[in-house]
Amino acid sequence: MSKQQKILTLNLFLLTFVLGTSEFVIVGLLAEVSADLHISISSAGALVSAFAISFAIGTPILTALFSRFSKYPLMLSLIAVFIAGNIITALSDSYALLLVSRLITAVVTGVLIALAMAVGSETVSAEKRGTVISIIFMGFTIASVIGVPLGTYIGQWGGWQLAFWFTSLLGIISLIASSATIPKGLKGTQSSLKKQIGLLTNSRIVIAFFIPALSIGATYTVYTYLTPLMQDVLLVPEHHISLVFLLYGVVSVFSTLIGGKLANRDGISKLRYVFLIQAAILASLYVFSNSIVTGLISISFIALIVYVMNSTMQLYFIDLADKHYPAAKDLASSLTPVSVNVGIALGSTLGGIVTTQRELIDISWFGGIVALAASLLTFISYSLDRKQSIHVKKSLVGDTCHDSGA
């Protein structure tokens, strides 16, 4: 990559780091928000669910609406709205205002992620796209390792509002960096909303959409209840649990890097087997839960494989759109993060049902079953790719023979 491309990639990494920190920092501050606004902890927790739902619904619609605009002014405008949303959050003295500010931040976050992925894939050569996309995705991983703990510490030290003044400051830094690095020549696509939304009715896109949802859902069936599992099953000392989560975050960084390498080498064909491995790793926690050491090894491998599919699926959506709905490539860029949010909701819901109806450790093999479903869908998608490729080759051979006969 050229120096300019490397600087742009670094800026997009910074942007996703800022977005990830703003999205997830509130998870560590629910008790403070609950106490300050005199609301129940469940009402405070509903802010997290509301953010995810707004993200999942609003992102594809707004991405399709905004795709006609040039990316440089659009991204700067959206980052400015993101900053404003965080400032309103920091100034909120009522639950209603806090909720509205988080909903605004959610939809802007989703569109910015989609645009960051689109810019990253459009500005580098085909063989470098997987690497660039993985670096952009890594911003979220680093946010969970560094940004969220730091923001949580700031919020616990100086009040939860201070954490969002911190994310506002990060947003301003990202705005300045983006104004200097995002190419000004990236034009929008003139297409109607109806034509773009048609992408979401394509059977190939629908099948592909549920691949990351099921993979992340498999992990979050376990991850959502990892704390009680460590406390009650693995018998990890309470003061060591935060260290385990830190280990999980650090290992997941390597998961993103592996995913970038995979995406550069026909990743969709390899994901079929990656999800089988994921299923085995999740189920292994059930087998090895009688020991802290072996249990923590299984958890480490869960982290190592959790984001392997991200870069491949991001490029897969873009390439499918390029073939079937060229005007909806920006919309296609939003589908992976939207699918991931759907998967988080599905996984946490399934985990809750399992922990209510069965033993806590059973979440491990239920997660494994969901990963098998992700593998099955990937086999179907890959098979459809192969059939289409064979059909295209036959058509080309037929046209060549026809031309020769003529």
Side-chain angles (χ1 to χ4, degrees), residues 69-258:
F69 301 109
S70 297
K71 290 184 174 59
Y72 179 83
L74 176 60
M75 289 188 72
L76 295 189
S77 299
L78 291 174
I79 294 172
V81 175
F82 168 84
I83 295 167
N86 278 267
I87 291 174
I88 295 172
T89 299
L91 294 172
S92 296
D93 57 2
S94 70
Y95 183 73
L97 183 59
L98 177 57
L99 178 61
V100 170
S101 70
R102 293 300 287 167
L103 296 182
I104 293 171
T105 307
V107 293
V108 172
T109 295
V111 180
L112 279 171
I113 293 169
L115 291 171
M117 298 299 176
V119 169
S121 64
E122 289 176 19
T123 52
V124 297
S125 59
E127 63 271 14
K128 295 294 183 182
R129 289 193 307 164
T131 300
V132 169
I133 293 298
S134 70
I135 292 172
I136 298 172
F137 267 121
M138 201 191 306
F140 289 102
T141 312
I142 300 298
S144 67
V145 178
I146 299 175
V148 172
L150 179 58
T152 300
Y153 173 78
I154 291 172
Q156 291 174 340
W157 171 73
W160 65 268
Q161 293 94 338
L162 189 60
F164 290 98
W165 286 115
F166 170 64
T167 56
S168 300
L169 175 61
L170 291 179
I172 292 170
I173 294 171
S174 179
L175 177 63
I176 295 170
S178 296
S179 66
T181 59
I182 296 175
K184 294 182 175 66
L186 296 174
K187 303 297 183 182
T189 303
Q190 296 298 324
S191 178
S192 67
L193 177 62
K194 182 179 179 180
K195 286 184 179 179
Q196 293 187 72
I197 295 298
L199 173 76
L200 304 179
T201 64
N202 183 278
S203 59
R204 297 291 304 282
I205 292 292
V206 172
I207 291 172
F209 179 84
F210 284 99
I211 293 174
L214 288 173
S215 177
I216 289 294
T219 296
Y220 269 78
T221 301
V222 174
Y223 183 77
T224 305
Y225 295 91
L226 196 55
T227 296
L229 190 146
M230 287 191 288
Q231 290 174 329
D232 302 336
V233 179
L234 298 182
L235 304 179
V236 176
E238 188 171 347
H239 59 280
H240 287 156
I241 288 178
S242 60
L243 293 177
V244 176
F245 277 103
L246 177 61
L247 170 67
Y248 185 98
V250 171
V251 173
S252 66
V253 173
F254 293 96
S255 174
T256 307
L257 291 173
I258 294 169

Side-chain angles (χ1 to χ4, degrees), residues 59-64 67 110-111 113-115 117-118 121-122 129 133 137 195-200 205 208-209 212 310-339:
T59 295
I61 296 173
L62 290 183
T63 301
S67 65
V111 180
I113 293 169
L115 291 171
M117 298 299 176
S121 64
E122 289 176 19
R129 289 193 307 164
I133 293 298
F137 267 121
K195 286 184 179 179
Q196 293 187 72
I197 295 298
L199 173 76
L200 304 179
I205 292 292
F209 179 84
N310 276 359
S311 298
T312 292
M313 291 309 304
Q314 183 68 28
L315 296 179
Y316 191 59
F317 282 125
I318 292 173
D319 290 342
L320 281 177
D322 199 30
K323 292 176 183 177
H324 304 290
Y325 291 86
K329 287 176 67 175
D330 286 351
L331 175 58
S333 295
S334 73
L335 295 183
T336 299
V338 170
S339 178

Side-chain angles (χ1 to χ4, degrees), residues 269-349:
S269 68
K270 296 177 177 63
L271 282 185
R272 298 174 296 168
Y273 306 107
V274 167
F275 295 141
L276 292 177
I277 296 170
Q278 181 188 22
I281 290 171
L282 287 164
S284 75
L285 187 57
Y286 183 89
V287 178
F288 298 128
S289 61
N290 58 342
S291 165
I292 289 181
V293 174
T294 54
L296 291 180
I297 290 173
S298 290
I299 290 171
S300 297
F301 277 107
I302 290 173
L304 187 62
I305 206 165
V306 61
Y307 297 130
V308 166
M309 57 86 192
N310 276 359
S311 298
T312 292
M313 291 309 304
Q314 183 68 28
L315 296 179
Y316 191 59
F317 282 125
I318 292 173
D319 290 342
L320 281 177
D322 199 30
K323 292 176 183 177
H324 304 290
Y325 291 86
K329 287 176 67 175
D330 286 351
L331 175 58
S333 295
S334 73
L335 295 183
T336 299
V338 170
S339 178
V340 165
N341 274 270
V342 170
I344 291 172
L346 290 174
S348 59
T349 301

Side-chain angles (χ1 to χ4, degrees), residues 202 204 316 319-325 380-396:
N202 183 278
R204 297 291 304 282
Y316 191 59
D319 290 342
L320 281 177
D322 199 30
K323 292 176 183 177
H324 304 290
Y325 291 86
I380 293 172
S381 279
Y382 183 70
S383 176
L384 292 172
D385 288 342
R386 296 272 294 177
K387 288 180 181 178
Q388 184 180 40
S389 178
I390 292 171
H391 177 73
V392 170
K393 287 180 180 178
K394 285 182 178 179
S395 297
L396 291 174

